[in-house]
Amino acid sequence: MNDVEVALLLRLIETGECRESARASSILERFRLARWVEPARRPGLWKVRSGAADGLRTRLTELSPSWDDDVRLLRANRLDPLDPRSHQALAGLKAAHQPEGLLHRKTWNSATSAGSKRTSQLPTTARLTDDWSVRGRVNCPTVVKTTHGPVDLHAVTRSLGEFSISERGWMAAQGFGGQLPKHVLTVENLSPLVDLVLPAETMLLFSQGAAVDGAAALLRAIPAASWMHFGDLDAAGVQIALRLARLTNRPPSLYVPTFAGEYLPRKLAAQQVWSCEPFVDQVLMQLSSQGAWLEQEIFVLDNRLSADIELTFSALSKSTSA
């Protein structure tokens, strides 16, 4: 809250006025009672009262004894001292951090702003990372090309059940090699990742909720592979498919089992009616209009699933090549 008050005091001292806001309303009320400000003619605008400048400067010095130097430091770094967010960068500016190479984004935020979840206002020459990690499986001899030699993802999948690729590992790699998968299926939930029987020449990638950046990065490296997202048949599943499509510059693609209608009696109640647009599918439309949904996991033990996925991929490939 001090950052808001400091920035407000600076604005009043420098410009003689300020606009009322939700963040500043209680502060302005204190200033009004202290007879430092009064309403201006224009609605929502406050102005400094005659003779009140000394009181404002005294209060500013109480809150920030080094405010004059801080203002110069912020402006020297092209930051606006009248913006409360700029003051969050002061600790980092005074510490003069100069990291190089790769650095987790939250490490930089925490060092140079008001916490790891606040975006830093300071530029850095370091390359900031989110450090995603993608879990997956593949059933063809696809490799990741690294400076230490190829990493056989098929062999890793057979030995350990799945592979995992980190953002930093992927940044240091030279992409995929070996036999690339013909199909990529992203899945929303953990149980399909580990239990789903894969069609031939398919890569399966775990892509949950908003955490899709890793799967999108790998998808972009296999542009020739056809892709579908298989998730819960609900609003979140639709949004994941749309997010992946946007990040990979692919047409949106959502897999709905052709036999999904048989499971409608086992639908679950959603919190509200939802939209399945832009996907046109009878089951999706029925679920969305009724405020209901189906879990992805309910289909995993159906013996028809793997063949159905393969046939849907085949139809998708024909439609895109036509």
Side-chain angles (χ1 to χ4, degrees), residues 45 56 62 65 69 93 118 141 149 154 169 196 203 255 263 309:
L45 197 67
L56 293 173
E62 289 173 357
D69 291 335
L93 282 171
R118 297 286 187 91
H154 187 210
L196 184 65
M203 179 179 285
Y255 170 66
Y263 286 83
I309 293 172

Side-chain angles (χ1 to χ4, degrees), residues 10-30:
L10 287 169
R11 183 175 295 278
L12 289 168
I13 291 168
E14 290 194 9
T15 70
E17 62 182 24
C18 72
R19 290 195 173 278
E20 187 168 352
S21 67
R23 287 190 303 175
S25 60
S26 61
I27 301 172
L28 284 169
E29 177 60 17
R30 284 195 283 109

Side-chain angles (χ1 to χ4, degrees), residues 137-157:
R137 291 191 287 134
V138 68
N139 58 7
C140 59
T142 304
V143 303
V144 173
K145 296 181 287 185
T146 78
T147 54
H148 302 288
V151 176
D152 189 335
L153 297 182
H154 187 210
V156 173
T157 299

Side-chain angles (χ1 to χ4, degrees), residues 224-274:
S226 55
W227 161 71
M228 298 188 300
H229 178 66
F230 178 27
D232 292 329
L233 302 187
D234 65 358
V238 167
Q239 289 306 310
I240 293 171
L242 295 178
R243 194 176 298 120
L244 281 166
R246 184 174 64 253
L247 291 173
T248 59
N249 198 29
R250 289 173 177 259
S253 183
L254 183 67
Y255 170 66
V256 179
T258 59
F259 49 84
E262 299 174 23
Y263 286 83
L264 285 173
R266 300 176 65 182
K267 65 182 181 289
L268 303 172
Q271 292 184 347
Q272 60 187 11
V273 174
W274 50 279

